[in-house]
Amino acid sequence: MKLTKEQKNVVTSTAPTLIVLGGAGTGKTTTAARVARKTLQDAEQQRRRERVLFLSFSRAATTQVLSRSADILAGYASRIDVTTFHAFAWRLIERWGHVLGIDEPVLLSPAERKVFGASEGLVYDDLIPLAQRLLDVPAIHRHLQRRWSLIVIDEFQDTNDHHWALIETLAEHARLVLLGDLNQCIYRNLPNSSGVGPRRVATAMARIGATTIELPDVSHRDPTHIIPAAANAIRDRKFKSDAVRTAIDAGMIEIIREPQLDRQATVVVEQIAQLRELGHSVGVFSHHVDSTAQLSDELNEAGVAHEVVGLPDAVAAALRAQYAMLAFCCREAEVSDLLRALAIFVASAERGNEAPELARMVAGLRPRPASLTERLDSLGVELGSVGSLREGFRIASAAYDFIGLKRGASAWQTAARLMSSLLGPRALSVQGLPVAGVRPLRSAIDQEHLSLLTYDRAQPAAEVELMGLYQTKGREVDAAIVLLRSTDWYGREREPMSDGSKLLYVLMTRARKKTVVLSLGDVTQPLVLPLVSLS
């Protein structure tokens, strides 16, 4: 990537707080990678061995960009810590939690809390506040302040008050490089979003010595700039502009209206097939968790291989359930352990604050219908009679269909692939059950579980990915399919709908080559009506 004048200014800046603002695809993260390299090179010349911390909300999005900066970071990648806020907080708690009386921290999944209620353990929302309490301990504070000379924050306009307090404590003696874009500020009206938005940018600008550099509005994602120009116009509600018309005429934005909601899967499958024939990677963006899970099930039924992004709880719960099945095969778990793990998985695949009735029935907290009892009993008998780990894994990976579950097929399949990798071909080739059982595998399962719940590890991008609208930030695909249903709810905002239009802007800038807008149903919500009318 040839650096612009502004990007060169970012790399050469020595400001203690550098705020880099730029639109989607303008190269903020790859420019930050150059800043990291220069920082480490300069330290080496002065015979100092320093480190860089790169904090983000989505490890997958950051990893995707940094992987393309491999040549920039060559020789220095091992000294750059890339992690999410919550994974970072968890590591602090694991190491120093005993200072707060947390000797053996346990991270509970949201689904576990829904089914079985409060129990000892931490949940996702506990992590950042606890990390800040640890940083208030003088010895820990001094240790961490010496660890990094540069701290880079991705999407810093989305940091809430807890995140920002953590950042300011860590960066007392380190340089801060803050990457942001107020046009992508789509979380400020969500729960726990205090401080998110323009106020956060203003707070950063008020720091002593803070400097702001705005990158030119030129997208490296779409060199033609046709899609970004149209996205800018849509964000400004200029739907009849030349930029939007040019994108439609060029076939880079296509708008399809389908009045029948129940034809969703059919139309999506058709569009995926057409885009895959062109060799495109495809991102399918759906409105919320329930609709994403439903569409995933429909794509599975149609035989469309895909990965669901943003359902880490479901994948983690599926992994635990499959491990419980293997442990049961090896006589290391009871039936109650198996049913508890299955109940948590069922709850993880459904949205809402309350556990679904099916989860309560699987857990034995509600009377079960005879058919469910029969399926669960049969599963126990089959698992209890296996003669090898390979056979047990075969049953566990197919248990989703065996039990007749209704949601979460993709999460179960993803977990089965993870489990296969953790077991390894050697374990699956041995005749008979292992003498040591599967207990040695527990530590690896625990680490994988934590990585999923804290977004610490990015899975390789699939050719077809399915995700919610609010999980698309930082993602890049060749072609995007944006689903807009008549039943989707975007709030009570009225024109000019600045918040909702920023969401549309984010969605329209994910694709490198083409965006397909699919309007489903005979009623169109006001936010998207002017866009859909262009069909």
Side-chain angles (χ1 to χ4, degrees), residues 518-533:
L518 176 56
S519 173
L520 292 154
D522 54 2
V523 176
T524 307
Q525 297 292 339
L527 173 67
V528 299
L529 179 59
L531 176 62
V532 172
S533 297

Side-chain angles (χ1 to χ4, degrees), residues 446-469:
D446 288 344
Q447 287 304 311
E448 196 69 41
H449 180 266
L450 288 169
S451 294
L452 288 164
L453 292 183
T454 60
Y455 295 87
D456 184 38
R457 190 178 309 158
Q459 300 298 325
E463 294 299 331
V464 179
E465 294 186 322
L466 172 60
M467 68 196 78
L469 303 186

